[in-house]
Amino acid sequence: MGEFDNKEREEVFSKKVRAGKRTYFFDVKATRSGDYYLTLTESKKRLEDGVFVKHKIFLYKEDFEKFAEGLNETVDYIKNHQEVVEKRYEYSENHEGAVKGNNDDYSF
């Protein structure tokens, strides 16, 4: 088998997060040897042609700690240096994100 055979592995776990005009997918997959890894996918619909554009990051378990440290440090920096207005989005039939007001805390 070639390196790219069965490129899309079966998902072990998946979490979908809708946030306004973007959707994020957190998918756990397994290598051939059974080791889990994470794919982070951002999906956004282009207004001009309706095509979904996706950006994907593969994150392997040996990098989880350093990745989480970097993400948390970066998020903390933004929160400490600029007001972050957190919004909860509600998915609608016409695929537009409507803001639903509430004061939930979305801390990492």
Side-chain angles (χ1 to χ4, degrees), residues 14 39 49 51 53 64 70-71 73 84-85 100 102 104 108:
S14 185
T39 61
D49 59 7
V51 172
V53 178
F64 287 173
L71 178 61
E73 184 177 333
V84 177
V85 179
K100 181 179 181 180
N102 74 27
D104 288 347
F108 286 96

Side-chain angles (χ1 to χ4, degrees), residues 9-46:
R9 303 224 175 256
E10 186 177 336
E11 294 170 2
V12 175
F13 174 83
S14 185
K15 174 69 177 170
K16 180 179 180 179
V17 177
R18 289 194 175 125
K21 296 179 181 180
R22 292 181 182 86
T23 302
Y24 299 97
F25 298 90
F26 300 84
D27 299 315
V28 176
K29 298 183 180 185
T31 65
R32 286 187 190 144
S33 63
D35 286 335
Y36 289 167
Y37 63 95
L38 172 66
T39 61
L40 303 165
T41 307
E42 173 205 34
S43 178
K44 184 177 179 183
K45 190 174 187 179
R46 275 196 310 229

